[in-house]
Amino acid sequence: MTDLLYSEEEEALRSAVRDLLTDHCDAAGVITRTESDAPHDLALWKALGDDMGLAGLLVPEDRGGQGATHREAAVVLEELGRAVAPVPYLTSAVVATEALLACTGDEAADLLARLASGRTIGALAVSLNVAPGAAFTTVAVEGTTLRGELTAIADAAAADVLLVPAEDGGLYAVDADTVTITPQVPLDLTRPLAAVTLTGAPGRWLGAAEPAVRRALRAGAGLLASEQLGVADWCLTETVRYLSQRKQFNRPVGGFQSLKHRLAQLWLDVVGLRAAARNAADALATGSEDTGVCVAVAQAYAAPVAVRAAEEALQLHGGIGMTWEHPVHLHLKRAKADSIAYGTAGTHREALAELVDLRPPS
């Protein structure tokens, strides 16, 4: 029987990550960073990826990593979601890393070890909205160089190397300084998007693109649910705290029955999301044959819950929730952006119907 409860080691990891984020990723700092030309917090990324070794959680020890599992990575993403931390953990330590784990050869092994160290940031050059089973854009191959344009690439601006799928079926490593990266305006300013233009950029062959991209997107979708859980849990916790302090008619606002009902329903939704996210992380960690189902269930459930939690937080904080200075807007934008990342809830429901043979009538 699968145990989805957090282990002592996972709780210790959570505590360490939360302490670091409390000290180095306050809401005011994140808001200030979104207004600057440097949205990524590379100092925080170094502390997480290099100093704490979290960039290599999914990489086996004999390949330069920590030899942990998706369960531990999910705990990290929960905390990063709570803080809306502007670091490329999901894109580099999960998605790009998973793509490299599907490749063989010295080039892939060397790049994997560099990503695991946290000193190199990688990004899979596939649009953030692409679902695990959907088609993705490729670029042309001209000898040993690549040519084409890819859009909506998450965290491309922070990447040192891009993993680019090509028309010949290969996945290529391309140094970021050999391509043109043009920022695109995202809804979530803490996870920047960019267009990547390759005009004869040198590429190093890593392996077959199809299995690598599919593996990477499935892991990205499955662990994104844990980030969405962190967002939703922060919204619920902070809203309960605020309503217990805010008074109206000389009594706490949280004492009004209508608000109690809204918060109780939200609590149930967040508990359900936690179960779905943990189940997806555990399936990825154990290589379960039901991983596809677990990921689809988690993503079909996660997006609506995270968005509703953020919307409720915004409304129930009243006037202060509408201000730029209050961090609730960061969580709402992250929840909204995450709702279309790696496939919408509707896309995952359709995938789930296919997986369990529940097709609609023709």
Side-chain angles (χ1 to χ4, degrees), residues 71-323:
R71 288 176 61 118
E72 289 78 19
V75 170
V76 174
L77 281 165
E78 282 183 41
E79 294 306 310
L80 295 178
R82 286 179 63 89
V84 198
V87 294
Y89 188 85
L90 180 65
T91 48
S92 183
V94 175
V95 176
T97 294
E98 284 281 348
L100 288 172
L101 285 169
C103 299
T104 58
D106 294 340
E107 185 66 43
D110 176 66
L111 183 52
L112 181 64
R114 286 162 51 198
L115 260 61
S117 73
R119 295 164 196 161
T120 297
I121 298 173
L124 180 66
V126 172
S127 296
L128 184 61
N129 64 300
V130 174
F136 52 89
T137 303
T138 58
V139 299
V141 181
E142 299 176 353
T144 60
T145 62
L146 306 176
R147 186 176 298 275
E149 184 174 12
L150 303 163
T151 58
I153 309 303
D155 294 330
D160 301 299
V161 62
L162 300 165
L163 311 183
V164 182
E167 291 176 352
D168 66 352
L171 185 69
Y172 291 82
V174 177
D175 292 332
D177 58 7
T178 65
V179 304
T180 300
I181 296 176
T182 307
Q184 296 178 296
V185 180
L187 174 62
D188 176 14
L189 298 174
T190 64
R191 179 168 286 150
L193 304 177
V196 177
T197 305
L198 302 94
T199 52
R204 305 182 298 279
W205 192 85
L206 296 169
E210 183 70 20
V213 171
R214 295 303 171 208
R215 173 173 176 167
L217 295 182
R218 186 176 69 169
L223 293 186
L224 178 66
S226 291
E227 177 180 288
Q228 290 165 302
L229 169 61
V231 171
D233 190 57
W234 181 93
C235 291
L236 174 60
T237 301
E238 287 302 305
T239 303
V240 170
R241 184 186 64 79
Y242 177 76
L243 293 182
S244 67
Q245 296 174 351
R246 174 68 188 271
K247 291 186 177 181
Q248 194 172 67
F249 306 115
N250 205 31
R251 61 179 289 192
V253 175
F256 295 118
Q257 192 170 28
S258 62
L259 297 188
K260 284 183 177 180
H261 288 168
R262 288 170 69 172
L263 292 172
Q265 183 58 57
L266 190 56
W267 181 83
L268 289 172
D269 291 342
V270 172
V271 169
L273 172 52
R274 178 172 284 107
R278 291 293 292 168
N279 192 44
D282 185 77
L284 287 164
T286 58
S288 168
E289 61 181 15
D290 292 327
T291 298
V293 171
C294 295
V295 169
V297 167
Q299 270 307 308
Y301 190 76
V305 171
V307 170
R308 198 172 77 80
E311 289 175 342
E312 287 283 74
L314 183 69
Q315 292 175 16
L316 295 178
H317 271 81
I320 192 174
M322 302 290 181
T323 64

Side-chain angles (χ1 to χ4, degrees), residues 2 18 20 32 38 41 54-55 88 97 118 150 213 246 252 285 314 345 355:
T2 300
R18 185 173 295 189
L20 177 68
T32 299
D41 190 341
L54 301 183
T97 294
L150 303 163
V213 171
R246 174 68 188 271
L314 183 69
L355 288 168

